[in-house]
Amino acid sequence: MTKQRLIEFDVLKFLAIFLVLWGHVILHLSDAPVAGNGMYNFISSFHMPLFMLISGFFAGSSLKLPPRRFLSKKFFQLLWPCLSFGLLFLLLLAAIGLFDSRFPVGSFSLRGVAYYLWSGLWFLKSLFFCYAVLYVALAVCKGKLLWGGVLALVVSQIFPMFKVNSMFPFFLAGWCLSFNIDWLKTHIKAVFWVSLPVFAVFLYFLDAGIFSIMPEIKTRLLQGDFMAFKDLCYVNFYRFFLGLAGSLLVVSLVFMLLRHWHSRRMLSAMSRGGRQTLGIYIIQSFILETLMAQTMDFTCMDVYAFTYLLSPVLSLVLLFVCMYISERIRRWPHIGKLLFGQG
């Protein structure tokens, strides 16, 4: 993979984590309903699919590892930080007296601690199982890529924990994209002009309730209402094509823009942020989703000023604050390895 290609994906990761922060600011710092917030619906339609697609793009080398090495690498890369940072955040929450208010299940009860560690940082857990499903499927199919991918896709749909069933198709799409990156670069304008109208149409007809209807559909299925299966297929297909079109639109746009980008300083800053997305994602879960969510409320602010002015500025500031903290932690070898699981 060329250096330029790495820079392009670093910029994509920077944009993806910025959108994550923007969406979280809108969600956590105001009690206004997000269902009618156009920017929130726009961000939610593709930001996590984009992250999963990028992760799948870089999955190839890990999928070739021996089983024990694969499991060890992915455990310490993805699951260990959930445990280490989770316990650290629990201690900090208890120290400042916020544990009870966020977790009514009981202050430092086994149930409270288990709930926090299980529910937090869901994307890292989802990514771990996406890796595992594809790795096992390829092993079962003896390395046959097509059949391994098909088997993994089928199996993933019966794995609802951590949204694996909805996230895995994007992971698989990114993995497939890695085999066709040269084709993508050659046909980047065509990808842009196809994905743009598709995404626009799906976004225009988007019902915001599609992101929250899944629990109701699962309940109906458990009650024997097999008509709910039709709704399940509709929701999954709609969310997939919406997320895929949005992700490819952003990917193609970044590839095209970087062909003419001459600001090395800005490109360097974005690339630097893109290399710290794991740390940024983890640290924002404490600073933004917990501390700021408990102490800040912009509900009384004009919704448009909050959504389109304050939120993006605050998100950008938070991004660089979290990036700085992540880099500082990694500069201390023992602490970095203890928290991130890697040297």
Side-chain angles (χ1 to χ4, degrees), residues 34-53:
V34 295
N37 189 304
M39 178 54 68
Y40 182 82
N41 291 334
F42 169 77
I43 292 172
S44 299
S45 68
F46 71 90
H47 71 314
M48 298 317 289
L50 175 60
F51 247 131
M52 195 60 80
L53 184 142

Side-chain angles (χ1 to χ4, degrees), residues 19-319:
L19 290 173
V20 168
L21 287 166
W22 193 347
H24 284 179
V25 167
I26 295 172
L27 178 65
H28 294 290
L29 301 190
S30 174
D31 290 332
V34 295
N37 189 304
M39 178 54 68
Y40 182 82
N41 291 334
F42 169 77
I43 292 172
S44 299
S45 68
F46 71 90
H47 71 314
M48 298 317 289
L50 175 60
F51 247 131
M52 195 60 80
L53 184 142
I54 294 171
S55 300
F57 181 86
F58 291 105
S61 59
S62 294
L63 294 172
K64 297 175 183 177
L65 294 173
R68 183 176 297 180
R69 173 63 180 144
F70 169 82
L71 187 61
S72 174
K73 179 180 179 180
K74 291 302 148 189
F75 172 81
F76 283 106
Q77 182 184 35
L78 299 172
L79 296 186
W80 179 260
C82 297
L83 177 63
S84 59
F85 277 99
L87 292 174
L88 174 63
F89 293 162
L90 275 174
L91 292 175
L92 292 175
L93 285 171
I96 59 182
L98 287 181
F99 187 84
D100 282 334
S101 60
R102 189 177 183 201
F103 302 105
V105 289
S107 177
F108 276 113
S109 66
L110 262 198
R111 187 181 170 194
V113 172
Y115 171 79
Y116 183 86
L117 295 177
W118 176 265
S119 61
L121 302 173
W122 69 268
F123 180 81
L124 299 183
K125 297 161 188 171
S126 180
L127 183 55
F128 173 83
F129 286 109
C130 285
Y131 266 105
V133 167
L134 184 54
Y135 185 89
V136 172
L138 288 173
V140 169
C141 295
K142 298 181 180 180
K144 295 179 180 178
L145 302 184
L146 176 60
W147 292 112
V150 171
L151 176 61
L153 182 60
V154 172
V155 172
S156 70
Q157 297 310 295
I158 58 174
F159 202 119
M161 282 193 306
F162 309 119
K163 305 181 183 179
V164 171
N165 55 341
S166 60
M167 289 290 105
F168 182 80
F170 302 107
F171 181 83
L172 185 66
W175 179 65
C176 294
L177 184 63
S178 68
F179 297 104
N180 299 280
I181 187 62
D182 292 330
W183 179 92
L184 174 68
K185 291 172 74 72
T186 302
H187 300 85
I188 199 68
K189 289 185 178 180
V191 173
F192 174 81
W193 289 113
V194 170
S195 59
L196 176 60
V198 172
F199 178 67
V201 169
F202 273 82
L203 188 64
Y204 180 79
F205 289 103
L206 173 66
D207 177 359
I210 202 170
F211 296 114
S212 58
I213 199 175
M214 290 303 291
E216 176 191 336
I217 292 177
K218 291 175 183 177
T219 300
R220 288 167 55 198
L221 285 172
L222 291 174
Q223 293 174 346
D225 180 4
F226 293 104
M227 289 300 294
F229 184 73
K230 180 185 71 172
D231 296 335
L232 177 66
C233 292
Y234 168 76
V235 170
N236 283 338
F237 276 107
Y238 199 103
R239 292 172 66 174
F240 172 72
F241 285 109
L242 175 66
L244 183 63
S247 298
L248 291 177
L249 176 62
V250 175
V251 169
S252 58
L253 183 61
V254 167
F255 269 66
M256 289 192 299
L257 288 177
L258 289 189
R259 290 178 177 178
H260 309 286
W261 197 297
H262 302 296
S263 177
R264 291 188 177 182
R265 180 174 297 182
M266 185 175 293
L267 187 61
S268 176
M270 296 176 73
S271 179
R272 177 183 161 197
R275 293 192 296 269
Q276 293 294 330
T277 49
L278 174 64
I280 295 170
Y281 172 68
I282 293 172
I283 294 166
Q284 69 82 35
S285 72
F286 181 72
I287 295 178
L288 172 56
E289 297 181 49
T290 304
L291 295 183
M292 295 177 66
Q294 298 258 352
T295 57
M296 295 183 180
D297 186 0
F298 295 97
T299 305
C300 295
M301 186 175 179
D302 178 79
V303 65
Y304 293 103
F306 171 67
T307 300
Y308 297 101
L309 295 178
L310 178 62
S311 294
V313 173
L314 190 55
S315 301
L316 195 60
V317 171
L318 280 168
L319 191 157

